[in-house]
Amino acid sequence: MPTLNSLPIQAAEIEIPFRRNWSGIFKTTDAAAPAEGERVEFVMGSLSLVGTVLASEAFGGTAELLVVGGAGGWRMVPDGLAFQNDAVVS
């Protein structure tokens, strides 16, 4: 049985693209699901995928989660940087 952090999975849609991180939408059978930002491990047979919860919503005794592969850092916007060149051309 597929699990997400040892929670049984009722349904899952997983995308494993050729060039990007994997992502998936998981529906658990328990409303006590991992919180946003928490690291999770999806296990199905010999397949094991590690990711981070981007969104989590509980409803009616179940929870639906959006998970992205890795630590989720690629979705962060970096701080602005200022560049200056003091070289003088004469």
Side-chain angles (χ1 to χ4, degrees):
M1 169 177 263
T3 61
L4 188 71
N5 276 11
S6 301
L7 294 171
I9 298 297
Q10 185 177 29
E13 291 180 34
I14 302 170
E15 179 183 358
I16 304 176
F18 184 68
R19 296 186 185 247
R20 297 177 314 184
N21 287 347
W22 68 272
S23 63
I25 298 173
F26 299 89
K27 187 172 184 179
T28 67
T29 58
D30 189 351
E36 292 179 23
E38 191 172 329
R39 300 280 299 208
V40 293
E41 181 180 19
F42 171 70
V43 178
M44 185 174 68
S46 62
L47 176 66
S48 175
L49 301 172
V50 177
T52 302
V53 177
L54 292 186
S56 176
E57 186 174 316
F59 180 78
T62 65
E64 194 166 299
L65 301 105
L66 171 61
V67 179
V68 66
W74 284 107
R75 66 184 177 88
M76 304 294 180
V77 177
D79 294 333
L81 298 174
F83 295 97
Q84 179 177 343
N85 185 351
D86 292 329
V88 177
V89 178
S90 41

